[in-house]
Coordinates of all heavy atoms in Angstrom, one line a residue:
M13 N 58.8 86.8 70.4 CA 59.6 85.6 70.1 C 60.2 85.8 68.6 O 59.5 86.0 67.7 CB 58.9 84.3 70.2 CG 59.7 83.1 70.0 SD 58.7 81.6 69.8 CE 59.7 80.8 68.5
T14 N 61.5 85.5 68.5 CA 62.1 85.6 67.2 C 62.3 84.2 66.6 O 62.7 83.3 67.4 CB 63.4 86.4 67.2 OG1 64.0 86.3 65.9 CG2 64.4 85.9 68.2
Y15 N 62.1 84.0 65.4 CA 62.2 82.6 64.8 C 63.2 82.6 63.7 O 63.4 81.6 63.0 CB 60.9 82.1 64.4 CG 60.2 82.9 63.3 CD1 60.4 82.6 62.0 CD2 59.4 84.0 63.6 CE1 59.8 83.4 61.0 CE2 58.8 84.8 62.7 CZ 59.0 84.4 61.3 OH 58.4 85.2 60.4
D16 N 64.0 83.7 63.5 CA 65.0 83.7 62.4 C 66.2 82.8 62.6 O 66.9 82.6 61.7 CB 65.4 85.2 62.1 CG 65.9 85.9 63.3 OD1 65.8 85.3 64.4 OD2 66.4 87.0 63.2
R17 N 66.4 82.3 63.9 CA 67.5 81.4 64.1 C 67.0 80.0 64.4 O 67.8 79.1 64.7 CB 68.3 81.9 65.3 CG 69.2 83.1 65.0 CD 69.9 83.5 66.2 NE 70.4 84.9 66.0 CZ 70.7 85.7 67.0 NH1 70.6 85.3 68.2 NH2 71.1 86.9 66.7
L18 N 65.7 79.8 64.2 CA 65.1 78.5 64.4 C 65.6 77.5 63.3 O 65.5 77.9 62.1 CB 63.6 78.6 64.4 CG 62.8 77.6 65.3 CD1 63.1 78.0 66.8 CD2 61.3 77.7 65.0
V19 N 66.0 76.3 63.7 CA 66.5 75.4 62.7 C 65.5 74.3 62.5 O 64.9 73.8 63.5 CB 67.9 74.8 63.2 CG1 68.3 73.6 62.3 CG2 68.9 75.8 63.2
C20 N 65.2 73.9 61.3 CA 64.2 72.9 60.9 C 64.7 71.5 61.4 O 65.9 71.2 61.2 CB 64.0 72.9 59.4 SG 62.9 71.7 58.9
A21 N 63.8 70.7 61.9 CA 64.1 69.3 62.3 C 64.2 68.4 61.1 O 64.8 67.3 61.2 CB 63.1 68.8 63.3
N22 N 63.6 68.8 60.0 CA 63.6 68.0 58.8 C 64.8 68.2 57.9 O 65.4 67.2 57.4 CB 62.3 68.3 58.0 CG 62.0 67.3 56.9 OD1 62.1 66.1 57.1 ND2 61.7 67.8 55.7
C23 N 65.2 69.4 57.6 CA 66.3 69.7 56.7 C 67.5 70.4 57.4 O 68.5 70.6 56.7 CB 65.8 70.5 55.5 SG 65.3 72.2 56.0
A24 N 67.4 70.7 58.6 CA 68.5 71.3 59.4 C 68.9 72.7 58.9 O 69.9 73.2 59.3 CB 69.7 70.4 59.5
A25 N 68.1 73.3 58.1 CA 68.3 74.6 57.6 C 67.5 75.6 58.4 O 66.5 75.2 59.0 CB 68.0 74.7 56.1
P26 N 67.8 76.9 58.4 CA 67.0 77.8 59.1 C 65.6 77.8 58.6 O 65.4 77.9 57.4 CB 67.7 79.2 58.9 CG 69.1 78.8 58.6 CD 69.0 77.5 57.8
V27 N 64.6 77.8 59.5 CA 63.2 77.7 59.1 C 62.8 78.9 58.2 O 62.0 78.8 57.3 CB 62.3 77.6 60.3 CG1 60.9 77.9 60.0 CG2 62.5 76.3 61.0
I28 N 63.4 80.1 58.5 CA 63.1 81.3 57.8 C 63.4 81.2 56.3 O 62.7 81.8 55.5 CB 63.9 82.5 58.4 CG1 63.4 83.8 57.9 CG2 65.4 82.4 58.2 CD1 62.2 84.4 58.7
E29 N 64.3 80.3 55.9 CA 64.6 80.1 54.5 C 63.6 79.3 53.7 O 63.5 79.3 52.5 CB 66.0 79.5 54.4 CG 67.1 80.4 54.8 CD 68.5 79.8 54.6 OE1 68.6 78.8 53.9 OE2 69.5 80.3 55.2
G30 N 62.8 78.5 54.5 CA 61.7 77.7 53.9 C 62.2 76.8 52.8 O 61.6 76.7 51.7
R31 N 63.2 76.0 53.1 CA 63.8 75.0 52.1 C 62.9 73.8 51.9 O 63.0 73.2 50.8 CB 65.2 74.6 52.6 CG 66.2 75.7 52.4 CD 67.6 75.2 52.7 NE 68.5 76.4 52.7 CZ 69.8 76.2 52.9 NH1 70.3 75.0 53.1 NH2 70.6 77.2 53.0
C32 N 62.2 73.4 52.9 CA 61.3 72.2 52.7 C 59.9 72.5 53.2 O 59.7 73.6 53.7 CB 61.9 71.0 53.4 SG 61.7 71.1 55.2
H33 N 59.0 71.5 53.0 CA 57.6 71.8 53.3 C 57.4 72.0 54.8 O 56.5 72.7 55.2 CB 56.7 70.7 52.8 CG 56.9 69.3 53.5 ND1 58.0 68.5 53.2 CD2 56.2 68.7 54.5 CE1 57.9 67.5 53.9 NE2 56.9 67.5 54.7
V34 N 58.3 71.3 55.6 CA 58.2 71.5 57.1 C 58.6 72.9 57.5 O 57.9 73.6 58.3 CB 59.1 70.5 57.8 CG1 59.1 70.7 59.3 CG2 58.7 69.0 57.5
C35 N 59.7 73.4 56.8 CA 60.1 74.8 57.1 C 59.0 75.8 56.8 O 58.7 76.7 57.5 CB 61.3 75.2 56.2 SG 62.8 74.4 56.6
R36 N 58.4 75.6 55.6 CA 57.3 76.5 55.1 C 56.1 76.5 56.1 O 55.6 77.5 56.4 CB 57.0 76.3 53.7 CG 58.1 76.7 52.7 CD 57.6 76.7 51.3 NE 57.5 75.3 50.8 CZ 58.5 74.6 50.3 NH1 59.7 75.1 50.1 NH2 58.3 73.4 49.8
A37 N 55.8 75.3 56.5 CA 54.6 75.1 57.4 C 54.9 75.8 58.7 O 54.1 76.5 59.3 CB 54.3 73.7 57.6
N38 N 56.1 75.6 59.2 CA 56.5 76.2 60.5 C 56.6 77.7 60.4 O 56.1 78.4 61.3 CB 57.9 75.7 61.0 CG 57.7 74.3 61.7 OD1 56.7 74.1 62.4 ND2 58.7 73.5 61.6
R39 N 57.1 78.2 59.3 CA 57.2 79.6 59.1 C 55.9 80.3 59.1 O 55.7 81.3 59.7 CB 58.0 79.9 57.8 CG 58.5 81.3 57.7 CD 59.3 81.5 56.4 NE 58.6 81.0 55.2 CZ 59.1 81.1 54.0 NH1 60.3 81.6 53.8 NH2 58.5 80.7 53.0
E40 N 54.9 79.6 58.4 CA 53.6 80.2 58.3 C 52.9 80.2 59.6 O 52.3 81.2 60.0 CB 52.8 79.4 57.3 CG 52.6 80.1 56.0 CD 51.8 79.2 55.0 OE1 50.7 78.8 55.3 OE2 52.4 79.0 53.9
R41 N 53.1 79.1 60.4 CA 52.5 79.0 61.7 C 53.0 80.1 62.6 O 52.3 80.7 63.4 CB 52.7 77.6 62.3 CG 52.0 77.3 63.6 CD 52.1 75.9 64.0 NE 53.6 75.5 64.1 CZ 54.3 75.8 65.2 NH1 53.8 76.4 66.2 NH2 55.6 75.4 65.2
L42 N 54.3 80.3 62.6 CA 55.0 81.2 63.5 C 54.6 82.7 63.1 O 54.4 83.5 64.0 CB 56.5 81.1 63.4 CG 57.0 79.8 64.1 CD1 58.4 79.5 63.6 CD2 57.0 80.0 65.6
Q43 N 54.4 82.9 61.8 CA 54.0 84.2 61.4 C 52.6 84.5 61.8 O 52.2 85.6 62.2 CB 54.1 84.4 59.9 CG 55.6 84.7 59.5 CD 55.8 84.6 58.0 OE1 55.0 84.1 57.2 NE2 56.9 85.2 57.5
Q44 N 51.7 83.4 61.8 CA 50.4 83.6 62.3 C 50.4 83.9 63.8 O 49.6 84.7 64.3 CB 49.6 82.3 62.0 CG 48.9 82.4 60.7 CD 48.0 81.2 60.4 OE1 48.1 80.2 61.1 NE2 47.2 81.2 59.4
D45 N 51.2 83.2 64.5 CA 51.4 83.4 66.0 C 51.7 84.9 66.2 O 51.2 85.5 67.1 CB 52.4 82.5 66.6 CG 51.9 81.0 66.7 OD1 50.7 80.8 66.5 OD2 52.7 80.2 67.1
N46 N 52.7 85.4 65.5 CA 53.1 86.8 65.6 C 51.9 87.7 65.3 O 51.7 88.7 66.0 CB 54.2 87.1 64.6 CG 55.6 86.5 65.1 OD1 55.7 86.1 66.3 ND2 56.6 86.6 64.3
L47 N 51.1 87.4 64.3 CA 50.0 88.2 64.0 C 49.0 88.2 65.1 O 48.5 89.3 65.5 CB 49.3 87.6 62.7 CG 48.2 88.5 62.1 CD1 48.8 89.7 61.4 CD2 47.4 87.6 61.1
F48 N 48.7 87.0 65.7 CA 47.8 87.0 66.8 C 48.3 87.7 68.1 O 47.5 88.3 68.8 CB 47.4 85.5 67.1 CG 46.5 84.9 66.1 CD1 46.8 83.7 65.5 CD2 45.3 85.5 65.9 CE1 45.9 83.2 64.5 CE2 44.4 85.0 64.9 CZ 44.7 83.8 64.3
A49 N 49.6 87.6 68.3 CA 50.2 88.2 69.4 C 50.0 89.8 69.3 O 49.9 90.5 70.3 CB 51.7 87.9 69.5
G50 N 50.1 90.2 68.0 CA 49.9 91.7 67.8 C 48.5 92.1 67.9 O 48.2 93.2 68.3
L51 N 47.6 91.2 67.6 CA 46.1 91.5 67.6 C 45.5 91.3 69.0 O 44.6 92.0 69.4 CB 45.4 90.6 66.7 CG 45.5 90.9 65.2 CD1 44.8 89.8 64.3 CD2 44.8 92.3 64.9
N52 N 46.1 90.4 69.8 CA 45.5 90.1 71.1 C 45.2 91.3 72.0 O 44.1 91.4 72.6 CB 46.3 89.0 71.8 CG 45.7 87.6 71.4 OD1 44.6 87.5 70.9 ND2 46.5 86.6 71.7
P53 N 46.2 92.1 72.2 CA 45.9 93.3 73.2 C 44.8 94.1 72.7 O 43.9 94.5 73.5 CB 47.3 94.0 73.1 CG 48.3 93.1 72.7 CD 47.6 92.1 71.8
M54 N 44.7 94.3 71.4 CA 43.6 95.1 70.9 C 42.3 94.4 71.1 O 41.2 95.0 71.4 CB 43.9 95.4 69.4 CG 43.1 96.6 68.8 SD 43.4 98.1 69.6 CE 41.8 98.9 69.6
A55 N 42.2 93.1 70.8 CA 41.0 92.3 71.0 C 40.6 92.3 72.5 O 39.4 92.4 72.8 CB 41.3 90.9 70.5
L56 N 41.6 92.2 73.4 CA 41.3 92.2 74.8 C 40.7 93.6 75.2 O 39.7 93.6 76.0 CB 42.6 92.0 75.6 CG 43.0 90.5 75.7 CD1 44.3 90.4 76.4 CD2 42.0 89.7 76.6
I57 N 41.2 94.7 74.7 CA 40.7 96.0 75.1 C 39.3 96.1 74.6 O 38.4 96.6 75.3 CB 41.6 97.1 74.5 CG1 43.0 97.1 75.2 CG2 40.9 98.5 74.5 CD1 44.1 97.9 74.5
T58 N 39.0 95.7 73.4 CA 37.7 95.7 72.8 C 36.7 94.9 73.6 O 35.6 95.3 73.9 CB 37.7 95.2 71.3 OG1 38.7 95.9 70.6 CG2 36.3 95.4 70.7
L59 N 37.1 93.7 74.0 CA 36.3 92.8 74.8 C 36.0 93.4 76.2 O 34.9 93.4 76.6 CB 37.1 91.5 75.0 CG 36.2 90.3 75.5 CD1 35.3 89.8 74.3 CD2 37.1 89.2 75.9
L60 N 37.0 94.1 76.7 CA 36.9 94.7 78.0 C 35.9 95.9 77.9 O 35.0 96.1 78.8 CB 38.2 95.3 78.5 CG 38.3 95.5 80.0 CD1 38.3 94.2 80.8 CD2 39.6 96.3 80.3
A61 N 36.0 96.7 76.9 CA 35.1 97.8 76.6 C 33.6 97.3 76.5 O 32.7 97.9 77.0 CB 35.5 98.6 75.4
V62 N 33.4 96.2 75.7 CA 32.1 95.7 75.6 C 31.6 95.2 76.9 O 30.4 95.4 77.2 CB 32.2 94.5 74.5 CG1 30.9 93.7 74.5 CG2 32.5 95.1 73.1
L63 N 32.4 94.5 77.7 CA 32.0 94.0 79.0 C 31.6 95.1 79.9 O 30.6 95.1 80.6 CB 33.2 93.2 79.6 CG 32.8 92.2 80.6 CD1 32.1 91.0 79.9 CD2 34.1 91.7 81.3
I64 N 32.4 96.2 79.9 CA 32.0 97.4 80.8 C 30.7 98.0 80.4 O 29.9 98.3 81.2 CB 33.2 98.4 80.7 CG1 34.4 97.8 81.5 CG2 32.8 99.7 81.3 CD1 35.7 98.6 81.2
A65 N 30.5 98.1 79.0 CA 29.3 98.7 78.5 C 28.1 97.8 78.9 O 27.0 98.3 79.3 CB 29.4 98.8 77.0
A66 N 28.3 96.5 78.8 CA 27.2 95.5 79.2 C 26.8 95.6 80.6 O 25.7 95.7 81.0 CB 27.6 94.1 78.8
V67 N 27.9 95.7 81.5 CA 27.7 95.8 83.0 C 27.0 97.1 83.3 O 26.0 97.2 84.1 CB 29.0 95.7 83.7 CG1 28.9 96.1 85.2 CG2 29.5 94.2 83.6
A68 N 27.4 98.2 82.6 CA 26.8 99.5 82.9 C 25.3 99.5 82.5 O 24.5 100.1 83.1 CB 27.6 100.6 82.1
L69 N 25.1 98.9 81.3 CA 23.7 98.8 80.8 C 22.8 98.0 81.8 O 21.7 98.4 82.1 CB 23.7 98.2 79.5 CG 22.5 98.4 78.6 CD1 22.4 99.8 78.1 CD2 22.4 97.4 77.4
L70 N 23.4 96.9 82.3 CA 22.7 96.0 83.2 C 22.4 96.7 84.5 O 21.3 96.7 85.1 CB 23.5 94.8 83.5 CG 22.7 93.5 83.8 CD1 22.0 93.0 82.6 CD2 23.7 92.4 84.2
A71 N 23.4 97.5 85.0 CA 23.3 98.2 86.3 C 22.2 99.3 86.1 O 21.4 99.6 87.0 CB 24.6 98.8 86.7
H72 N 22.2 99.9 85.0 CA 21.2 101.0 84.7 C 19.8 100.4 84.7 O 18.8 101.1 85.2 CB 21.6 101.6 83.4 CG 20.7 102.8 83.0 ND1 20.8 104.0 83.7 CD2 19.7 102.9 82.1 CE1 19.9 104.8 83.2 NE2 19.2 104.2 82.2
Q73 N 19.6 99.2 84.1 CA 18.3 98.6 84.0 C 17.8 98.1 85.3 O 16.6 98.2 85.6 CB 18.4 97.5 83.0 CG 18.4 97.9 81.5 CD 18.5 96.8 80.6 OE1 18.9 95.7 80.9 NE2 18.2 97.0 79.3
T74 N 18.6 97.6 86.2 CA 18.2 97.1 87.5 C 18.0 98.2 88.5 O 17.2 98.0 89.4 CB 19.2 96.0 88.0 OG1 20.5 96.6 87.9 CG2 19.2 94.8 87.2
A75 N 18.7 99.3 88.3 CA 18.6 100.4 89.3 C 17.2 101.1 89.2 O 16.6 101.2 88.2 CB 19.7 101.4 89.1
Ligands
ZN117 ZN1 63.1 72.3 56.6

């Protein structure tokens, strides 16, 4: 998602310019969302790998 054309509800300026405290808060929140969106696939892969290892370990112990 791109937010460079998002207009602030408080000052009606582009949020990316950060003209008021609402702009800056929104910009920070959106940048955090972007960061998490970038991290999520990697976190999911790690979680999946841990889960597979746990299942394999459990299967090995019960067999
Ligand atoms: Zn604003």
Side-chain angles (χ1 to χ4, degrees):
M13 184 195 141
T14 175
Y15 59 94
D16 54 352
R17 283 179 199 160
L18 212 69
V19 173
C20 178
N22 191 48
C23 67
V27 168
I28 191 86
E29 290 181 16
R31 288 189 188 180
C32 73
H33 68 282
V34 176
C35 289
R36 286 191 288 273
N38 276 328
R39 193 174 55 177
E40 255 176 58
R41 187 173 56 81
L42 287 162
Q43 279 172 344
Q44 269 185 349
D45 285 351
N46 283 351
L47 187 73
F48 283 125
L51 282 173
N52 268 346
M54 199 60 215
L56 278 173
I57 288 163
T58 308
L59 197 72
L60 200 69
V62 169
L63 204 70
I64 288 165
V67 168
L69 199 72
L70 209 69
H72 183 72
Q73 281 177 344
T74 49

